Amino acid sequence: MFRGRNLLDYSLPMTTRQDHAAASTPSAASPAAASQPSADQLATKAQAWSALFSEPMSELVKRYTSSVFFDKRLWQADIAGSLAHAEMLAAQGIISSQDLHDINRGMGQIAQEIESGQFEWKLDLEDVHLNIEARLTQLVGDAGKRLHTGRSRNDQVATDVRLWLRDEIDHITALLRALQLALVEVAEHNVDVILPGFTHLQVAQPVSFAHHLLAYVEMFARDEARMHDVRKRVNLLPLGSAALAGTTYPLDRERVARHLRMDGVCQNSLDAVSDRDFAIEFTAAASLCMVHVSRLSEELIIWMSQNFGFIRIADRFTTGSSIMPQKKNPDVPELARGKTGRVVGHLMGLITLMKGQPLAYNKDNQEDKEPLFDTVDTLKDTLRIFAEMVGGQINPHTGCKEGGITVNAAAMRAAAQKGYATATDLADYLVKKGLPFRDAHETVAHAVKAAQSHACDLSELPLAVLQGFHPAIEKDVYEVLSLRGSLGARNTLGGTAPVQVRAQLARQRARLA
């Protein structure tokens, strides 16, 4: 089986077609293996420009310009694009049906060799495209040489990267949904848990812990939407633009796009081969997603610290200290926070890569792949481990799900009571009694100062003391000053009242179903 998307998802049945141009386009019969050039001979001939040059490329330059050892991950996309291109060439009468049959047969063998680890990647062949083409020619002879008719490596590589990235976006979207579901599951069990909400890292107002987690669900939902949007611009076909100006062959580019399940073709050949906006746009979306992961990481790190003690992260996601036996370190969130800078750095690198390039293709663009590949790998790994860390996993021995995060509701509630989190509620209470808000704000400030001097919460001040700040205050104020009353009072759309939080959870469940 092929890794990732099966090649059959891209390619066509390996059937022959009537040769519409047999008279003008001779077909190469499949030659015997003994008559085929050796791999070393093909490596020498693979440089299509070699006849123009009087000396071979230096070994240093070969190593400096080669990309095969990182772009070989594009092999499935390269074979898929080639199969679709070959089918179109045969349909247009540019190559024969026998050529198409031989190309399909050869590509099938190459795919098996790569999948099994038997394929030999050669530095002399520079990149994934020439390695595959050289092996194809070795296997099927002239049919392999005809495959490159009507295309250039410029439009070929652009197509390969787009096909590969499209499928990676699909994987990332699925991982984003898994993380959102994990957050929703934890939130569903903690609607009534009260957490101090912060501004400036100062206790501000009480919120439901579920409400807090749903804020991250909203962030990751936007990330998912951005990935869907980016995919539309990724999924366009450059193939057929050739080197920069199009080709003299009667290609049917729309046919190739349909077979590759692409949404359309790039409309300008110069732009098609030189555009890397799609890679930059994806990396920008990935950077923003990692920023959201980093913000969540920061909170998990703070909440786990002894000074807060709001949560415990399962041991399998933490490490100890080599010198301090009491330590349990939140390495996963910390490393994710650090990897965010790595991904944002790749975005800056890609933008800088493109900023000074004239049209059309330039060798600079070889430098787009490593940052793009690393961005995809980093984001996928991070989302996968966070979904498991937040939502837990099934214990293979017990069959029960073990959560990755344990909530300390008592610690959260105690922290909320320390910071006069219901002060705004007292101000709102006075406004409803007829005071202008600014006057109510000033009155409550005096009440908070009194509570601070007595080292108690506002709700612990005697009614007589509270009435000393304003005579309109009555006994019902204590319900207003309670943490539970504060939560319940914020019963507006998007608010933290439990009834609103449960409605939002239902909405998210329906969206993610």
Side-chain angles (χ1 to χ4, degrees):
M1 294 299 293
F2 300 119
R3 291 186 297 271
R5 189 178 294 276
N6 194 296
L7 284 179
L8 294 178
D9 291 344
Y10 295 115
S11 59
L12 300 156
M14 294 172 63
T15 56
T16 59
R17 296 175 179 270
Q18 288 294 323
D19 182 9
H20 299 294
S24 59
T25 309
S27 172
S30 300
S35 66
Q36 295 312 304
S38 69
D40 290 337
Q41 289 173 324
L42 284 168
T44 301
K45 292 180 179 180
Q47 294 176 347
W49 58 89
S50 58
L52 181 65
F53 291 78
S54 59
E55 61 178 344
M57 182 183 292
S58 78
E59 291 301 316
L60 177 61
V61 173
K62 282 182 185 178
R63 291 193 298 272
Y64 188 71
T65 60
S66 174
S67 61
V68 65
F69 295 116
F70 57 81
D71 70 13
K72 65 183 180 180
R73 71 163 65 192
L74 298 174
W75 71 267
Q76 284 182 299
D78 192 74
I79 291 176
S82 291
L83 290 174
H85 182 68
E87 191 278 338
M88 179 274 297
L89 291 177
Q92 294 295 102
I94 299 170
I95 65 173
S96 71
S97 57
Q98 184 61 49
D99 284 337
L100 176 61
H101 175 79
D102 291 341
I103 289 168
N104 281 333
R105 175 176 57 80
M107 285 299 192
Q109 180 172 335
I110 290 170
Q112 291 176 358
E113 291 175 0
I114 296 174
E115 189 66 34
S116 66
Q118 297 176 337
F119 190 90
E120 183 181 1
W121 298 100
K122 289 183 171 291
L123 179 68
D124 284 342
L125 292 172
E126 189 174 347
D127 59 27
V128 60
H129 324 293
L130 288 182
N131 269 268
I132 289 175
E133 184 179 330
R135 178 59 175 149
L136 179 67
T137 301
Q138 186 181 28
L139 289 170
V140 303
D142 285 350
K145 297 177 184 179
R146 292 191 179 99
L147 174 60
H148 208 54
T149 305
R151 73 178 184 184
S152 161
R153 275 197 299 171
N154 296 355
D155 59 339
Q156 185 180 359
V157 66
T159 300
D160 289 0
V161 175
R162 285 173 180 267
L163 285 173
W164 174 83
L165 183 57
R166 176 188 69 184
D167 289 349
E168 294 299 332
I169 289 173
D170 291 342
H171 294 320
I172 288 167
T173 300
L175 291 169
L176 276 166
R177 293 180 73 82
L179 178 53
Q180 291 172 73
L181 278 170
L183 288 164
V184 166
E185 287 176 3
V186 176
E188 286 173 335
H189 291 94
N190 292 281
V191 174
D192 295 316
V193 172
I194 296 174
L195 171 79
F198 296 94
T199 61
H200 310 280
L201 265 184
Q202 305 293 308
V203 174
Q205 294 174 341
V207 296
S208 161
F209 184 57
H211 188 61
H212 195 105
L213 293 181
L214 284 174
Y216 285 100
V217 176
E218 294 288 341
M219 295 181 207
F220 293 124
R222 292 195 297 271
D223 292 324
E224 181 187 345
R226 268 186 286 272
M227 288 295 172
H228 280 301
D229 197 48
V230 170
R231 190 186 190 279
K232 297 174 187 175
R233 285 176 288 283
V234 170
N235 201 32
L236 298 174
L237 181 73
L239 201 62
S241 299
L244 77 162
T247 179
T248 59
Y249 297 97
L251 305 185
D252 185 347
R253 297 182 63 211
E254 287 84 0
R255 183 187 186 100
V256 177
R258 286 194 299 272
H259 280 297
L260 293 172
R261 301 186 325 281
M262 302 189 92
D263 296 331
V265 300
C266 300
Q267 296 293 316
N268 182 284
S269 60
L270 286 164
D271 180 58
V273 299
S274 61
D275 169 45
R276 293 299 182 271
D277 286 4
F278 67 92
I280 295 172
E281 189 176 358
F282 165 79
T283 310
S287 295
L288 192 49
C289 183
M290 286 296 294
V291 167
H292 295 152
V293 170
S294 186
R295 294 184 71 183
L296 177 57
S297 297
E298 179 74 7
E299 299 214 276
L300 294 175
I301 293 163
I302 291 172
W303 292 345
M304 184 181 169
S305 68
Q306 293 92 333
N307 291 337
F308 281 75
F310 290 174
I311 63 168
R312 184 179 66 81
I313 296 177
D315 289 352
R316 61 186 179 274
F317 299 103
T318 62
T319 63
S321 167
S322 63
I323 189 173
M324 294 168 285
Q326 81 281 11
K327 294 288 293 301
K328 185 183 290 186
N329 300 322
D331 277 17
V332 168
E334 287 178 348
L335 190 55
R337 189 175 58 183
K339 286 181 180 289
T340 299
R342 175 178 179 153
V343 171
V344 173
H346 290 327
L347 172 60
M348 296 301 103
L350 287 172
I351 290 173
T352 305
L353 173 71
M354 297 304 299
K355 72 168 184 63
Q357 287 196 43
L359 291 173
Y361 181 84
N362 300 279
K363 189 67 171 179
D364 312 46
N365 287 344
Q366 182 171 298
E367 289 297 298
D368 67 345
K369 296 174 189 62
E370 288 178 288
L372 181 61
F373 294 165
D374 188 68
T375 294
V376 167
D377 292 344
T378 301
L379 182 57
K380 285 169 59 179
D381 288 347
T382 302
L383 292 174
R384 186 176 293 111
I385 197 167
F386 261 68
E388 186 175 318
M389 183 177 67
V390 171
Q393 63 182 9
I394 302 296
N395 186 317
H397 303 295
T398 65
C400 298
K401 190 169 188 179
E402 296 178 349
I405 292 177
T406 302
V407 175
N408 186 342
M412 291 183 185
R413 183 181 183 90
Q417 289 175 324
K418 288 179 182 178
Y420 306 102
T422 59
T424 305
D425 296 271
L426 180 55
D428 291 340
Y429 174 89
L430 291 171
V431 168
K432 292 171 184 176
K433 295 288 186 177
L435 269 71
F437 181 79
R438 287 303 176 193
D439 292 343
H441 185 281
E442 184 70 15
T443 299
V444 174
H446 289 297
V448 170
K449 187 179 293 186
Q452 288 174 336
S453 67
H454 288 84
C456 67
D457 187 61
L458 283 172
S459 62
E460 296 173 322
L461 288 174
L463 180 60
V465 174
L466 290 171
Q467 288 176 332
F469 297 110
H470 198 281
I473 296 176
E474 299 176 6
K475 189 176 181 179
D476 61 350
V477 74
Y478 289 108
E479 175 59 27
V480 171
L481 291 175
S482 70
L483 296 177
R484 191 70 56 196
S486 177
L487 249 63
R490 285 163 172 75
N491 189 16
T492 54
L493 180 62
T496 192
V499 64
Q500 291 293 334
V501 173
R502 289 190 174 90
Q504 291 296 328
L505 283 167
R507 181 178 70 86
Q508 297 292 358
R509 273 289 185 188
R511 181 179 64 82
L512 293 167

